[in-house]
């Protein structure tokens, strides 16, 4: 019961911790049944004699087991695996010119938020490091009601119309006959679908990039994806796209590394977020908006209503308007992260929808899915979903209703209840939909303005650095290499060729088949535009101006901080304590964390005779769980080269392009390792406790990875 007494505002303020709460309630707190009867024995069921059969009358056993049997609720059909956190949003500048939303006008308010990050395809217990889009859903508990920004870490989507969503999800999820593979798109049904859906090509470029294998949930951008509307108090509207920019920069891991992390720690992202918040390293994002006047609706060579398109930041800059800080972990995963119910239709006055057909379909889906998942129209009464704004209406009853409505009036208009509650006029904060003119024939059609499926895919590919382009080629080669049906691979090569001939040629080489000369027209299979006579452009527009903001490596907002990075210190008995201390202090001052690894737990004795506490052993630690590696000096360090796990550690660090620093005897280990070729990502010093090495290592770690190494391995 205690959590139900905490409010979302309390959570955002990080008020009473669990420990404090438990302490204050420890006295006189007995174990009870759900009916409040104190339990005398929680270890033994009621039996007829100590070796006899159990008795049906044991209401305590039956209550406990029944409740346990019903603990699971249906997992989300998509985005089943998630990690959540509380925090707040703070506005920098009032946005009254564009929107009347209260929380976007008052810079003195800290609006509580709850965020849930997720993967899309896998089941609830699947790995965090799947190649996948990440959900980035933010619930703002504003004083005018709940606003949910239910976005992803990629600014576009696979499909243009909600009608295709069940098909997309059926295709990407584990195949129905054998439920294989889990949380992976590298299989026939996904690529069969994609090869027949040219509209997916832009999103495919994103999903095959390192954006789909983030280093951390704290190092991802977020996007509202659809074009929404801001509406001001004069009822004037502007189109708006929402962006979240992480203060820690946007970073990915290597694909081989992602697969190994999945084995070593499938909760890698969940744990990383949890620990950062527990340690007080609160992740932060800035909220940015791209604002487009209504009069510019048709100014661009793509349609603002098409969710497979983005607005390049060079065309419409992102204006930063506020920041979000996540400062408190959930008290209970199920009660909060699992039961939170997001909905793109949860909006507040000042924000409105557009006619994006994907968004319009979503407006139906989310209530419907909560009914199936949470089992009742009263899901808004679950503590994590409750608005902090006053809530009064005549909705009544239903499964597990919490509110006890008083009086006999449950209708409007009424006189018996004094007319309460009243409708709110616009100037009293009543929600009114934007007065958009709609006058058209009913049709089942796709607008011709949605038909260029290749230009923005090419824009994305051409905006990447050569290293990032190589990663896209490798990802496509991996995924299509796992596809068994050759015709699907060929169709995909045809589509890739329509994006970029070089890209297609490189993937074709890896697949060992040629790019088809006359690719099958995929649209003939699929979405129906063809039988209406629409001619879709078959090639990307050749006059593409690359956008640096689309590249993680070129992105001008990239941060060089090493805050919260985990650096492995490979140690042994006889390590030089000063070498450890000097580097550890330098890293700590830069916000990073050194983790001492040695052959055994407990302590090791340094060559100076001091004891150094050990945090992990070589049996537990793995390079893929760290951002960089340092080998200190010391007589005992030479023996590290005899440890198999140390060799594996260093080889993985090298292959995943991590920065490696070593000094004294540590440097010799690197020099003597024939698998490692020295390059600028490897920083060695013959001296002990070398301050120059510290400075250059910290600077290097700020670059995240030395991806250039890939050319030599
Ligand atoms: Fe969705 C969950 C994001 C298209 C139907 N979606 C869900 C979540 C996120 C998104 C972040 C997880 C929320 C949470 O953490 O609980 N979905 C998106 C984005 C989309 C998108 C960015 C495209 C721009 N979704 C989409 C379509 C449909 C749905 C077109 C259906 C027509 N999505 C759902 C759902 C889910 C969901 C079935 C499953 C669990 C839930 O809603 O609460 O209703």
């Amino acid at each position: 019961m205690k959590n139900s007494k905490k409010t979302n505002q309390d959570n955002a303020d990080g008020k009473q911790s669990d420990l404090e709460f438990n302490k204050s309630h420890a006295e006189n707190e007995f174990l009870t049944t759900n009916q409040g009867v104190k339990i005398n024995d929680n270890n033994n069921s009621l039996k007829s004699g100590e070796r006899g059969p159990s008795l049906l009358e044991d209401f305590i056993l039956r209550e406990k087991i029944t409740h346990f049997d019903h603990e699971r609720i249906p997992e989300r059909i998509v985005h089943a695996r998630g990690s959540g956190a509380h925090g707040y949003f703070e506005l920098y500048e009032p946005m009254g010119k564009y929107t009347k939303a209260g929380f976007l006008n008052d810079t003195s308010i800290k609006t509580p938020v709850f965020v849930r990050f997720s993967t899309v395809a896998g089941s609830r217990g699947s790995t965090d490091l799947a190649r996948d889009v990440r959900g980035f859903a933010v619930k703002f508990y504003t004083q005018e009601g709940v606003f949910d920004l239910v976005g992803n870490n990629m600014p576009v989507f696979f499909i243009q119309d909600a009608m295709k969503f069940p098909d997309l999800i059926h295709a990407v999820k584990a195949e129905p006959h054998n439920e294989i593979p889990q949380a992976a798109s590298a299989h026939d049904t996904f690529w069969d679908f994609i090869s027949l859906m040219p509209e997916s090509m832009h999103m495919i470029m994103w999903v095959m990039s390192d954006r789909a294998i983030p280093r951390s949930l704290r190092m991802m951008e977020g996007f509202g994806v659809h074009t929404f509307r801001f509406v001001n108090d004069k009822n004037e509207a502007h189109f708006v796209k929402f962006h979240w920019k992480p203060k820690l920069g946007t970073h990915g891991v290597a694909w081989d590394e992602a697969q190994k992390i999945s084995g070593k720690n499938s909760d890698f992202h969940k744990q990383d977020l949890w620990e950062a918040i527990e340690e007080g390293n609160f992740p932060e994002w800035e909220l940015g908006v791209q604002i487009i006047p209504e009069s510019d609706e048709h100014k661009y060579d793509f349609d603002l209503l098409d969710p497979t398109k983005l607005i390049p930041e060079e065309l419409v800059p992102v204006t930063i308007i506020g920041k979000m800080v996540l400062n408190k972990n959930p008290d209970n995963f199920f009660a909060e992260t699992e039961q939170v119910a997001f909905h793109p239709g949860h909006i507040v006055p000042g924000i409105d929808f557009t006619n994006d057909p994907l968004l319009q379909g979503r407006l139906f889906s989310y209530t419907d899915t909560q009914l199936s998942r949470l089992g009742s129209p009263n899901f808004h009464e679950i503590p994590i979903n409750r608005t902090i704004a006053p809530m009064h209406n005549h909705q009544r009853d239903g499964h597990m209703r919490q509110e006890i409505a008083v009086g006999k009036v449950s209708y409007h208009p009424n006189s018996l209840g004094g007319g309460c509650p009243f409708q709110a006029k616009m100037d009293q904060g009543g929600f009114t939909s934007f007065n958009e003119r709609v006058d058209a024939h009913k049709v089942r059609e796709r607008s011709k303005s949605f038909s260029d499926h290749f230009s923005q895919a090419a824009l994305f590919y051409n905006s990447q650095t050569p290293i990032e382009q190589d990663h896209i080629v490798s990802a496509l080669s991996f995924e299509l290499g796992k596809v068994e049906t050759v015709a699907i691979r060929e169709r995909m090569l045809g589509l890739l060729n329509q994006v970029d001939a070089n890209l297609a040629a490189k993937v074709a080489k890896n697949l060992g088949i040629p790019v088809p000369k006359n690719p099958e027209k995929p649209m003939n299979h699929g979405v129906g535009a063809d039988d209406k006579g629409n001619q879709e452009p078959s090639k990307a527009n050749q006059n593409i101006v690359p956008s640096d903001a689309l590249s993680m490596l070129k992105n001008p907002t990239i941060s060089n901080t090493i805050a919260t990075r985990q650096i492995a210190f490979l140690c042994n008995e006889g390590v030089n304590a000063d070498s450890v201390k000097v580097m550890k202090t330098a890293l700590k001052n830069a916000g990073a964390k050194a983790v001492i690894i040695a052959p055994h737990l407990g302590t090791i004795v340094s060559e100076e005779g001091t004891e150094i506490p050990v945090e992990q052993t070589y049996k537990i630690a793995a390079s893929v769980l760290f951002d960089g590696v340092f080998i200190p000096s010391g007589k005992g360090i030479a023996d590290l080269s005899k440890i198999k796990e140390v060799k594996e550690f260093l080889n993985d660090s090298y292959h995943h392009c991590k920065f490696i620093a070593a000094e004294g005897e540590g440097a010799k280990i690197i020099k003597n390792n024939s698998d490692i070729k020295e390059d600028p990502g490897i920083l060695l010093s013959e001296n002990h406790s070398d301050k120059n090495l510290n400075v250059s290592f910290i600077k290097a770690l700020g670059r995240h990875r030395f991806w250039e190494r890939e050319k030599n391995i």
Side-chain angles (χ1 to χ4, degrees), residues 75-83 115-120 133-138 149-159 161-166 169 223-226 307 337-338 340-344 356-370 373:
E75 66 174 34
R76 289 166 174 81
I77 173 68
V78 282
H79 296 263
R81 178 161 181 84
S83 307
V115 178
R116 184 172 178 274
F117 302 106
S118 45
T119 52
V120 178
V133 197
R134 299 299 185 288
F136 193 128
V138 183
L149 186 54
V150 197
N152 280 342
N153 75 330
M154 297 177 190
V156 290
F157 202 63
F158 294 94
I159 48 169
D161 191 307
M163 192 73 153
K164 298 310 298 167
F165 192 68
I169 301 305
F223 303 90
V225 182
H226 310 283
T337 312
E338 194 59 13
V340 66
F342 290 96
H343 193 329
D356 172 340
L358 194 71
L359 174 60
Q360 294 286 322
R362 294 179 74 194
L363 297 179
F364 164 72
S365 178
Y366 288 70
T367 315
D368 192 42
T369 211
Q370 310 312 347
R373 203 167 65 79

Side-chain angles (χ1 to χ4, degrees), residues 504-543:
K506 286 180 185 169
V507 177
K509 191 171 170 228
N510 291 338
L511 296 180
I513 47 174
V515 178
K517 283 215 175 68
N518 296 312
E520 248 184 295
K521 273 222 165 73
M523 53 186 265
N524 291 344
H525 293 267
V527 295
D530 205 24
D531 59 350
K532 302 259 165 35
N534 292 343
Q535 273 313 310
E536 300 185 353
S538 57
K539 281 269 179 203
N541 173 356
Q542 298 307 305
N543 306 318

